[in-house]
Amino acid sequence: MRRVLVSASSIIALAFAALALGASAADAGDWTQWRGASRDGRVAGFVAPSAWPKTLREEWKVKVGVGHSTPLLSGGRVYVFAREGEEEVLRALDARNGRELWKSSHAVAYEMHNAARAHGKGPKSTPALSGNNLCTLGIAGDLTCHDARTGRVKWRKSFAAQYGKTAPQFGTAMSPVFDGGRLIAHVGGHDRGALTAFDAETGKVKWSFEPDGPAYASPVIATLAGTRQLITFTQKELVGLKAETGELLWKLPSKTQYDENCNTPVIHKDLVIFSREERGIEAVRLVREGGRVVAREAWRNTENELYMSTPVVERGVLFGFSSRQKGQFFAIDAETGKTLWQGEGRAGENAAILSTGRFFLALTNDATLYVLASDAGSFTPAARYTVATSPTWAHPVVAGASLLVKDETTLASLSLK
């Protein structure tokens, strides 16, 4: 069952928002997909305050439901995907005041794996926005494309007829990506699924690559070794596919004890940076040899390792959060792999990390936000804030001079001035 509610008082706002959405989805400051407009965790156009405030003032707060999905920001709107009761709910909110513009809900039955019950049944995948197409991948694997202006469902696909399971063991977490007129998602479940490109307007399958089940990581797209390719973890491998056709270009074995490939690959110049279980953090350089694309190791750092957290690169520094020492911030030279510094251990289970250029923002799952100069020679935060009273697994989003923070059940806008 699907319901879309649009308040009468929102009609004029919807008309103006439609004009805004007609502009580029990657306008400065927009956050249109997993890890931002460029899918790299970097915030465009942010002007840091001359002095960071002592506290972050709450501007508005809205109850939206449970889930770890990152909110999106575009054209003065915030889009948030969460779960209320037995429904997955997608909302459009006015970024100025949190007022609801529309709401679309869809009944989704789901039973959590015992090991993941603490995280709840809310969606973990971040939606993707391109033009007026706003697409979500639910916790149980339903793929839906909405009209971003109104919330109307344009198409929806369930994969129960194709695969025995439609989600990996701990719930769907990979975030889809738009590539031109295609929407690419890894559908299916444990042991069997397919990286699939769908026509964004109709949902028609354009290509499919079906060797493996989905991971919890998300794909990136880059031109490397002269070929435009989609790079991502699957359940058991790290792969590079030709973006236009889904043809396999290269792969690396990436089997983990519990099939938990979680970190999104990071592209830095001609390097692909990632982490595999018990292998530290690695960088490979893709080269052409005998007409094939081959991944050659460029460096390996065995002092740090990634689990759920994905790092960012700023000015040649890879800043991230290691799963070693029960959670530890680190900085690595992205060119050589050399550790520049490490913070103290026991910093948390996870950190969602952004770069604003001059500063890194790191939000740990216990609702602690750290602000760190990007040229810092050690973990010496310029500011530290408590931004919620419940866990914060979703990435924060910088919205002008404000910060959007999704905690266990609410979304808040906090002033950075």
Side-chain angles (χ1 to χ4, degrees):
M1 178 180 178
R2 191 261 311 170
R3 302 193 302 274
V4 178
L5 304 175
V6 182
S7 62
S9 62
S10 299
I11 300 300
I12 295 176
L14 285 168
F16 282 105
L19 293 175
L21 282 166
S24 168
D27 288 343
D30 280 4
W31 205 258
T32 53
Q33 59 179 332
W34 169 242
R35 303 191 78 224
S38 299
R39 220 168 171 87
D40 58 4
R42 300 179 71 182
V43 178
F46 177 72
V47 178
S50 55
W52 290 92
K54 291 184 178 180
T55 59
L56 301 185
R57 176 177 54 85
E58 183 179 295
E59 298 171 316
W60 53 260
K61 189 174 187 178
V62 178
K63 188 171 183 178
V64 295
V66 299
H68 300 169
S69 177
T70 302
L72 303 186
L73 174 70
S74 182
R77 289 180 166 198
V78 178
Y79 300 96
V80 59
F81 185 42
R83 184 182 186 96
E84 293 184 315
E86 293 305 307
E87 293 184 325
E88 288 185 338
V89 180
L90 180 65
R91 284 182 170 86
L93 307 176
D94 188 319
R96 297 169 300 178
N97 52 30
R99 182 171 62 89
E100 185 176 292
L101 301 175
W102 57 252
K103 170 183 172 181
S104 177
S105 57
H106 170 54
V108 176
Y110 185 71
E111 185 65 31
M112 288 297 298
H113 189 288
N114 283 336
R117 287 190 183 279
H119 286 249
K121 297 196 291 185
K124 296 175 175 61
S125 170
T126 294
L129 173 66
S130 179
N132 290 326
N133 291 320
L134 176 60
C135 295
T136 61
L137 185 59
I139 189 76
D142 285 354
L143 184 65
T144 308
C145 186
H146 300 78
D147 185 316
R149 296 166 296 190
T150 65
R152 177 182 64 85
V153 173
K154 301 176 74 169
W155 54 264
R156 172 174 290 134
K157 290 184 176 291
S158 175
F159 303 94
Q162 293 171 253
Y163 305 106
K165 298 176 181 178
T166 57
Q169 294 186 94
F170 307 118
T172 298
M174 78 82 56
S175 299
V177 60
F178 280 103
D179 182 39
R182 298 181 295 267
L183 175 74
I184 303 173
H186 199 151
V187 300
H190 188 66
D191 287 339
R192 185 164 175 250
L195 274 160
T196 307
F198 302 88
D199 183 284
E201 292 294 333
T202 67
K204 181 181 177 181
V205 173
K206 308 295 287 185
W207 59 252
S208 182
F209 176 72
E210 190 174 342
D212 199 2
Y216 304 93
S218 299
V220 292
I221 296 175
T223 299
L224 298 168
T227 304
R228 193 163 176 277
Q229 52 191 283
L230 178 140
I231 300 168
T232 190
F233 278 105
T234 66
Q235 184 179 323
K236 301 181 182 73
E237 296 178 320
L238 178 67
V239 300
L241 309 181
K242 190 173 288 187
E244 290 75 16
T245 65
E247 174 191 347
L248 178 66
L249 297 170
W250 57 274
K251 64 181 181 179
L252 295 174
S254 304
K255 180 77 173 69
T256 70
Q257 184 178 4
Y258 299 108
D259 293 321
E260 290 182 304
N261 286 315
C262 300
N263 59 100
T264 295
V266 172
I267 308 300
H268 174 61
K269 298 182 179 178
D270 63 344
L271 299 177
V272 181
I273 302 173
F274 55 92
S275 186
R276 292 183 284 181
E277 188 176 70
E278 302 298 333
R279 295 174 63 94
I281 300 176
E282 308 170 67
V284 297
R285 181 171 286 110
L286 303 182
V287 297
R288 283 201 165 271
E289 294 181 0
R292 299 185 306 117
V293 177
V294 178
R296 296 294 183 201
E297 183 175 300
W299 54 257
R300 181 191 304 272
N301 180 301
T302 59
E303 298 169 319
N304 303 280
E305 186 168 320
L306 306 174
Y307 180 34
M308 290 180 286
S309 181
T310 296
V312 296
V313 177
E314 187 62 57
R315 305 178 191 183
V317 175
L318 181 76
F319 174 64
F321 188 76
S322 175
S323 56
R324 306 271 178 88
Q325 305 299 319
K326 297 187 180 298
Q328 182 178 39
F329 288 101
F330 67 81
I332 290 173
D333 186 316
E335 301 286 342
T336 67
K338 178 183 177 182
T339 298
L340 301 175
W341 55 257
Q342 292 175 309
E344 295 182 359
R346 300 184 180 276
E349 290 182 69
N350 184 62
I353 297 173
L354 308 176
S355 171
T356 68
R358 287 179 54 205
F359 293 94
F360 294 119
L361 303 182
L363 177 60
T364 59
N365 58 285
D366 66 355
T368 301
L369 176 72
Y370 297 97
V371 179
L372 182 75
S374 57
D375 59 357
S378 62
F379 187 67
T380 50
R384 173 178 174 170
Y385 306 101
T386 298
V387 296
T389 57
S390 64
T392 47
W393 288 91
H395 272 63
V397 173
V398 175
S402 302
L403 188 73
L404 300 174
V405 174
K406 169 69 172 68
D407 65 11
E408 189 172 15
T409 60
T410 70
L411 178 67
S413 177
L414 307 176
S415 175
L416 293 170
K417 296 189 293 185

